[in-house]
Amino acid sequence: MTSAIDLVPAPRSVEGPTPGGAVLLDEATALWAAPGTETAERWLRGTLGAALGLPLRPGPRDAPDCVRLRLDDTLEPEAYRLSVVADAGVEIRGGDPAGVFWGAQTLRQLLGPVAFRRAPLRPGVRYGVPHRIVEDAPRLRWRGLMLDVARHFMPKDGVLRYLDLMAAHKLNVLHLHLTDDQGWRIEIRRRPRLTEVGSWRARTKFGHRASPLWEDKPHGGFYTQDDIREIVAYAAQRHITVVPEIDVPGHSQAAIAAYPELGNADVVDTRALAVWDTWGISPNVLAPTDDTLRFYEGVFEEVLELFPSEFVHVGGDECLKDQWRSSPAAQARIAELGLADEDQLQSWFVRHFDAWLAARGRRLIGWDEILEGGLADGAAVSSWRGRAGGIAAARAGHDVVMCPEQQVYLDHRQADGADEPVPIGYVRTLEDVYRFEPVPTELTPAQARHVLGAQANLWTEATEDQARVDYQAFPRLAAFAEVAWSDLPAPAERDFAGFERRMRAHYARLDALGVGYRPPGGPRPWQRRPGVLGRPIEGRPPNR
């Protein structure tokens, strides 16, 4: 049984518990669900019911100690009111179906770690939920996690598992990074070589790109279109939107290896290129031709059929332009379009897909480099190089997702000790993430409304399997979830000691879920990677 103060993320208000009072859940407990609450109803039976060994059969609304789900239009979207009251059972009211679902997640936390398992430990036990009233609503609309499945492939079951972990923390956007130099991870039926060739590489650099170590075996994998449909449907049942990323015009060597005509064949032998086996930024970028545009329009047509999300991510970052500078064809294109330079050529490329997506009722989102050269009105920006890109975008009237590298890149190291595995980037402790502020104070209230929310990004160059992803993500993802959901005070005034205290209960939930998180005292022996070179950066990260 869990105290109200142990909830993560922290709710807006809690009344109770009443000493000695509890609603008991057992095999006779009924579940009544009003129209519109079906996703929470199915989840309660399939997940919570399975963990506790309770059937939660349909029953009348006035059944004793019943669990009741209903919508309440007096509540804002995603808000909920969870009431556990003597002689009235458990009631979850939501401002919309998502709100009811988030209330069900809170009920699970109140039941303790046993509710986070997949089967009951002691069948036939009655579970008490202390009398209390929890009222809650999210601060931000976009509460995201970016998973890079291109550098190291995450099998479908791993993605479904992370959707469950996101739901448990009230995160609602999965940004799926599907393509890069090191792999193409989504089936495109009209372009089969993208997965036949582009989805695997012959070997892989182990550690940072300066590391002398290699894993000398093929690495690869991709999601079939039915896998994607399953992932999207599974996410939707948990009120999570999946935003796909197809990277253009840089980070595209895997695609060029599969279809050499996509590259700058007048300056490099693109037929000799393979899927990249090391890290960094490949110089092999897409050729700015009409054929390339038509190719990717075909790719995006299939992507739109699979992902109903409002936003489609096109990357747009770290596009090295040396090949365009040397390419007669690219220089002729710059002259034909009346552009000033290669930077404007990249902007032309991105703006083409901005207009193409807008004509189909979707919105382009890209990394903050897409600001260079100007954006169409509906485009949005993922601000990763710091806060400056997000501030500039919001001031220009563009929607923004704040995900600055120096603050919420979860592949960055969690401590500066010698035992920290494959240390990348700045030290970003649990407290550092907890004190991240996603809405820049430099913005006016009108400009701040363009901040859709925040996102934690987890790149996988040095994160080769589920155990490593878990270690880098948790417990920091729990802190990030509270930053995105809860109405916290200014960073310096946040009660990190209180959060740490609540995390003691939350670690037991993560244990029950089988999450290989970083313990507060440092990595366990099997979580270390002795001798594997990283790229640590010393000092405090810039807050630019």
Side-chain angles (χ1 to χ4, degrees):
M1 194 175 298
T2 300
S3 165
I5 60 172
D6 291 335
L7 296 174
V8 175
R12 287 191 177 180
S13 70
V14 179
E15 296 179 19
T18 303
V23 169
L24 297 177
L25 307 183
D26 58 23
E27 291 190 354
T29 298
L31 173 59
W32 178 84
T37 66
E38 292 82 5
T39 53
E41 177 188 15
R42 285 192 295 269
W43 183 86
L44 281 166
R45 286 204 180 95
T47 300
L48 192 64
L52 304 179
L54 305 181
L56 297 176
R57 298 181 182 90
R61 182 170 55 184
D62 58 354
D65 286 347
C66 179
V67 177
R68 295 185 304 280
L69 311 177
R70 63 177 67 192
L71 300 179
D72 184 341
D73 60 10
T74 67
L75 299 175
E76 60 191 277
E78 294 195 271
Y80 67 88
R81 187 176 193 269
L82 169 62
S83 303
V84 185
V85 180
D87 302 322
V90 176
E91 180 176 270
I92 303 173
R93 294 175 177 260
D96 58 8
V100 178
F101 183 75
W102 303 134
Q105 298 298 322
T106 297
L107 174 62
R108 186 191 198 187
Q109 290 198 16
L110 294 176
L111 285 160
V114 67
F116 289 79
R117 297 189 177 273
R118 296 190 182 184
L121 303 183
R122 289 171 290 277
V125 170
R126 305 179 80 190
Y127 299 92
V129 187
H131 297 159
R132 73 194 68 211
I133 297 173
V134 180
E135 295 189 351
D136 204 3
R139 178 190 180 195
L140 299 175
R141 164 188 161 190
W142 184 303
R143 307 180 300 280
L145 170 66
M146 191 285 300
L147 280 179
D148 169 21
V149 297
R151 272 52 175 271
H152 277 100
F153 179 63
M154 179 180 285
K156 179 195 69 178
D157 284 352
V159 177
L160 300 180
R161 174 176 176 266
Y162 258 81
L163 287 166
D164 281 329
L165 292 173
M166 290 175 65
H169 294 83
K170 299 183 174 74
L171 298 172
N172 69 344
V173 178
L174 173 62
H175 171 175
L176 208 53
H177 182 79
L178 290 163
T179 72
D180 216 298
D181 299 310
Q182 297 85 3
W184 185 284
R185 306 297 178 208
I186 179 173
E187 176 189 20
I188 302 297
R189 289 178 174 167
R190 71 188 73 182
R191 301 293 185 179
R193 287 176 59 83
L194 286 171
T195 46
E196 290 171 0
V197 174
S199 70
W200 69 276
R201 56 184 181 262
R203 64 176 187 168
T204 298
K205 176 69 72 173
F206 194 51
H208 184 252
R209 62 181 177 270
S211 168
L213 303 177
W214 292 89
E215 187 177 42
D216 284 309
K217 67 178 183 181
H219 176 86
F222 67 93
Y223 309 111
T224 68
Q225 294 203 355
D226 280 346
D227 290 337
I228 293 293
R229 291 186 181 96
E230 181 182 358
I231 288 168
V232 169
Y234 195 85
Q237 291 168 2
R238 286 148 183 78
H239 297 277
I240 297 171
T241 298
V242 184
V243 174
E245 180 179 352
I246 306 295
D247 233 321
V248 296
H251 287 290
S252 298
Q253 184 166 325
I256 297 169
Y259 290 93
E261 63 271 23
L262 294 173
N264 296 282
D266 55 349
V267 295
V268 65
D269 183 4
T270 56
R271 294 169 299 178
L273 295 177
V275 177
W276 217 22
D277 57 12
T278 189
W279 314 125
I281 307 171
S282 169
N284 295 296
V285 302
L286 297 176
T289 66
D290 288 340
D291 287 344
T292 300
L293 297 181
R294 299 295 88 76
F295 183 101
Y296 273 87
E297 285 171 1
V299 168
F300 280 116
E301 282 176 2
E302 295 193 30
V303 168
L304 296 190
E305 291 173 1
L306 298 170
F307 295 92
S309 54
E310 175 185 2
F311 290 97
V312 175
H313 209 292
V314 302
D317 63 316
E318 297 180 328
C319 179
L320 299 181
K321 301 177 178 66
D322 293 343
Q323 290 183 356
W324 287 353
R325 293 186 184 99
S326 302
S327 164
Q331 292 301 309
R333 198 67 197 256
I334 290 173
E336 172 196 340
L337 295 169
L339 304 176
D341 54 22
E342 293 78 17
D343 289 339
Q344 285 197 3
L345 184 62
Q346 178 177 349
S347 177
W348 165 82
F349 199 106
V350 171
R351 287 173 69 93
H352 173 86
F353 286 102
D354 189 343
W356 189 90
L357 289 167
R360 287 153 182 81
R362 305 298 186 94
R363 294 180 64 188
L364 179 145
I365 186 169
W367 304 111
D368 54 54
E369 286 96 329
I370 69 172
L371 283 166
E372 298 160 7
L375 279 180
D377 290 344
V381 170
S382 300
S383 185
W384 78 274
R385 290 181 295 180
R387 301 160 61 254
I391 292 169
R395 285 174 172 167
H398 293 287
D399 288 340
V400 177
V401 176
M402 297 299 294
C403 49
E405 172 188 20
Q406 305 87 347
Q407 310 299 326
V408 288
Y409 267 35
L410 299 184
D411 46 302
H412 282 209
R413 56 192 175 135
Q414 302 186 61
D416 60 3
D419 290 335
E420 205 64 29
V422 199
I424 301 295
Y426 294 102
V427 171
R428 293 287 81 196
T429 66
L430 182 66
E431 182 172 2
D432 290 329
V433 174
Y434 190 67
R435 297 194 189 280
F436 165 60
E437 175 48 51
V439 181
T441 55
E442 296 93 328
L443 298 178
T444 67
Q447 293 166 347
R449 284 193 285 273
H450 285 292
V451 179
L452 299 176
Q455 184 170 284
N457 294 344
L458 209 170
W459 301 100
T460 61
E461 291 95 332
T463 310
E464 72 277 4
D465 55 26
Q466 176 178 296
R468 286 284 293 122
V469 172
D470 277 6
Y471 180 91
Q472 293 301 131
F474 289 97
R476 293 182 296 179
L477 191 62
F480 172 81
E482 182 150 313
V483 167
W485 175 277
S486 304
D487 192 13
L488 299 177
E493 300 168 8
R494 292 175 188 171
D495 181 9
F496 178 68
F499 176 75
E500 282 190 305
R501 182 178 59 250
R502 284 182 286 121
M503 280 300 299
R504 287 198 285 272
H506 200 63
Y507 286 124
R509 299 177 192 127
L510 296 177
D511 286 333
L513 287 167
V515 176
Y517 58 85
R518 181 189 189 277
R524 297 182 172 96
W526 57 87
Q527 293 174 320
R528 301 168 188 162
R529 296 290 189 276
V532 182
L533 186 66
R535 184 183 61 90
I537 303 175
E538 302 302 329
R540 296 287 298 176
N543 191 27
R544 59 175 186 264

